[in-house]
Amino acid sequence: MSEGTGDWAPADFEHHGRELLATIRQHFENVRDVPVARPYDAAELMSRLDGVMPEQGEEFSRVLADTWEKVVPDLVHWNHPAFHGYFSTCASFPGMLAETMTAALNVNSMLWKTSPSASALEHVVLGWLAELAGYPGESDGLLVGGASLATLYALGAARDAALTYDVREEGMGGPHAKVARIYTSDQAHSSVEKAAITLGIGLRNVVKIPSDDQYRMRPDLLEEAIARDVAAGCVPVAVVATVGTTSVAAADPLQPISEICGRFGVWLHVDAAYGGLFAFTSRMSGAAENVSVGDSLVVNPQKTLFVPLDSTALYCKRRGTLANTYRLVPEYLTSVHTGGTFDFMDLSPQLGRGFRALKLWWVMRSFGRSGLGSRLDHAMRLADDLRQLAAADADWQCPVPSRYPLVCLRYAPQGGAASDAQAVDVLNARIVKELNDSGEAFVSHSVIRDGYVIRVSLANIHTTGQDIEGLWALLNRTAKKCR
Ligand SMILES: Cc1ncc(COP(=O)(O)O)c(C=O)c1O
């Protein structure tokens, strides 16, 4: 081998792999001593990491040491048992190992023939996930890089199905252009609006239907809005309903919404990115919204099923509609299909695609259906414990009930500024900052009709009841300090 060419020897790979695994093991054995986040100075951070690219290759042990010294301390540790921000994502150990295997094989499942068992396995795990969510397994489905993209792809197909002219050919501004409308609740995730921007539908054509006092879309107002638009000559492209809204984990009433969609012939896309994969748990039994009424559905195992980022499933019951929008086959990508095979590249704009199915397969097989269910039940139980602690304390409010493991809290101390909503907002914002700066836990916030709330998302596979007691003590300590 000439100087400077070639990869490491496989034996060196194993040696460094062991070094890395030992470091990761140590990290998780002591993870509660690791600050979840810390205040940082962006300029200092940049100067610490900045530098010229090395001319000669460096020893891996040096690279690894630098990573732990210079990079890891200023990460926000999303995989920490005290991380409760946003919708926390959690990577379990089997998921982490699958990522290594995936990188080692580095296959591309753009066509069935470019990696047959990767495509077959994607089909299998999509079937398993559909069963967990309660969606028909015979739908079209694919794994994509996040729920925002899934919603974009679904709404692209919905747009093309709704408009009576050939959008693929003419684009949105052609001679037959019509005003296309999307309906969603005032609680919907911003990905719906981003999809409208990307698809040329426009933000002004996203109709925000008001939600009720539990933050659920109001079907009566949805029906009125669609009827008004139809009378005005607009084309209703889709309704996007949410199961597990971002701010408070509310679930829109899918049955009446789907009946309205049926009456007007409008596509129903269900954004169950957060809530969809709790449907099979004992604690949710019989209470979950029936997502099978959706023409399309997104669920996000990366949020709730202990599968590393990114891992999202998009389904579409209207078979063939995704392909109607996205199938475009140049000569160099043609293939012959036998035995029910198909090419995943036909179902979205993405061509090259990694082996996302493997991490899902490993996590689902390692924990099993009942193991996953009991872990999610555990998270919901922890959330209930936290809600009960807050309910028993007059200084705390828990403005919105939810079945999901997302707890919204608001500190409004008795005898303090509780009656001044604005002052309470400011106080709660201070608590979030102070708490996150402490490194002991990490939370995020939202602003709802009740005001500024502290969002505590419970999704980490390692979080225990003791952690929740610690978090409650920390919240109270921090709140008193900020008063
Ligand atoms: C309800 C809902 N839908 C969609 C998304 C977008 O998810 P992603 O980050 O996978 O694009 C989120 C993100 O939190 C969400 O809460």
Side-chain angles (χ1 to χ4, degrees):
M1 190 170 68
S2 62
E3 189 68 21
T5 63
D7 202 351
W8 292 345
D12 290 340
F13 171 74
E14 181 183 344
H15 171 73
H16 295 317
R18 286 177 187 278
E19 260 181 283
L20 175 61
L21 286 182
T23 316
I24 294 173
R25 173 183 169 173
Q26 214 175 26
H27 171 74
F28 280 103
E29 282 179 345
N30 301 294
V31 72
R32 285 179 179 76
D33 299 331
V34 175
V36 190
R38 68 179 191 185
Y40 62 90
D41 171 343
E44 187 281 320
L45 176 59
M46 283 305 294
S47 73
R48 192 188 331 143
L49 296 178
D50 211 5
V52 290
M53 179 179 165
E55 188 57 35
Q56 305 297 330
E58 297 181 64
E59 277 301 315
F60 179 71
S61 50
R62 179 77 224 128
V63 177
L64 182 57
D66 265 1
T67 306
W68 284 91
E69 239 168 73
K70 299 182 178 174
V71 180
V72 173
D74 283 301
L75 294 174
V76 172
H77 287 274
W78 282 66
N79 220 19
H80 193 294
F83 180 89
H84 306 296
Y86 308 98
F87 279 135
S88 0
T89 55
C90 172
S92 57
F93 289 128
M96 292 178 215
L97 286 181
E99 287 285 44
T100 307
M101 178 87 169
T102 301
L105 300 171
N106 202 32
V107 301
N108 186 334
S109 57
M110 57 189 191
L111 307 177
W112 194 282
K113 73 178 179 187
T114 59
S115 229
S117 48
S119 292
L121 203 59
E122 184 158 338
H123 195 59
V124 168
V125 295
L126 283 163
W128 290 3
L129 284 173
E131 198 186 312
L132 296 184
Y135 199 72
E138 61 280 7
S139 312
D140 286 340
L142 71 161
L143 296 175
V144 301
S148 303
L149 290 179
T151 291
L152 171 67
Y153 302 161
L155 292 180
R159 178 198 62 183
D160 295 357
L163 294 174
T164 48
Y165 63 94
D166 188 348
V167 185
R168 273 174 59 123
E169 193 57 35
E170 293 185 22
M172 285 295 283
H176 304 101
K178 288 255 172 65
V179 176
R181 306 276 267 177
I182 293 171
Y183 308 82
T184 196
S185 97
D186 56 12
Q187 299 299 308
H189 188 259
S190 53
S191 52
V192 179
E193 286 171 290
K194 282 201 174 185
I197 297 169
T198 313
L199 294 168
I201 288 173
L203 284 175
R204 73 162 62 143
N205 292 313
V206 177
V207 183
K208 299 271 189 70
I209 307 297
S211 50
D212 65 14
D213 60 353
Q214 304 278 298
Y215 296 91
R216 300 168 301 201
M217 189 196 293
R218 281 188 49 187
D220 56 328
L221 299 182
L222 171 68
E223 181 152 29
E224 278 174 32
I226 298 179
R228 220 173 18 246
D229 281 353
V230 171
C234 304
V235 179
V237 159
V239 172
V240 181
T242 312
V243 175
T245 58
T246 313
S247 285
V248 302
D252 290 336
L254 295 185
Q255 190 55 40
I257 290 173
S258 74
E259 285 163 17
I260 294 163
C261 289
R263 277 202 288 287
F264 288 97
V266 181
W267 182 300
L268 173 58
H269 175 64
V270 178
D271 176 355
Y274 178 61
L277 292 172
F278 288 96
F280 73 103
T281 63
S282 332
R283 286 176 81 92
M284 197 57 84
S285 170
E289 287 294 324
N290 172 16
V291 298
S292 75
V293 296
D295 294 288
S296 51
L297 169 75
V298 51
V299 294
N300 225 350
Q302 72 191 29
K303 283 189 180 17
T304 54
L305 226 54
F306 318 113
V307 181
L309 279 166
D310 50 29
S311 170
T312 298
L314 168 64
Y315 296 95
C316 183
K317 235 167 45 180
R318 293 202 198 186
R319 297 203 67 176
T321 46
L322 287 168
N324 284 346
T325 294
Y326 300 113
R327 185 164 198 271
L328 185 71
V329 188
E331 180 54 37
Y332 45 83
L333 292 175
T334 51
S335 44
V336 175
H337 288 285
T338 51
T341 63
F342 63 94
D343 297 326
F344 276 104
M345 75 158 188
D346 290 347
L347 304 185
S348 87
Q350 191 179 4
L351 175 59
R353 46 204 312 285
F355 192 3
R356 290 194 181 98
L358 189 71
K359 55 189 168 187
L360 278 155
W361 203 51
W362 281 24
V363 170
M364 289 196 272
R365 287 193 58 184
S366 298
F367 297 134
R369 186 188 164 102
S370 83
L372 288 170
S374 54
R375 283 166 175 84
L376 296 180
D377 281 330
H378 169 70
M380 288 187 268
R381 213 163 26 244
L382 293 182
D384 281 347
D385 292 348
L386 184 58
R387 284 188 196 100
Q388 271 165 24
L389 287 168
D393 189 326
D395 287 347
W396 288 91
Q397 299 167 352
C398 199
V400 202
S402 177
R403 289 180 173 277
Y404 298 98
L406 172 72
V407 183
C408 290
L409 296 172
R410 186 167 158 87
Y411 183 66
Q414 298 293 299
S419 56
D420 179 349
Q422 229 175 346
V424 174
D425 285 352
V426 171
L427 171 59
N428 280 267
R430 242 193 345 257
I431 295 170
V432 170
K433 170 148 189 1
E434 184 75 24
L435 190 144
N436 289 348
D437 282 354
S438 77
E440 291 182 61
F442 193 97
V443 295
S444 62
H445 81 281
S446 190
V447 176
I448 58 175
R449 284 193 283 272
D450 301 86
Y452 187 107
V453 287
I454 302 170
R455 288 172 75 268
V456 180
S457 163
L458 297 163
N460 191 280
I461 198 164
H462 300 289
T463 305
T464 62
Q466 217 177 347
D467 290 322
I468 297 307
E469 284 165 24
L471 174 67
W472 179 241
L474 174 66
L475 278 162
N476 278 288
R477 247 188 352 262
T478 312
K480 289 196 173 73
K481 193 168 156 194
C482 292
R483 258 170 101 155

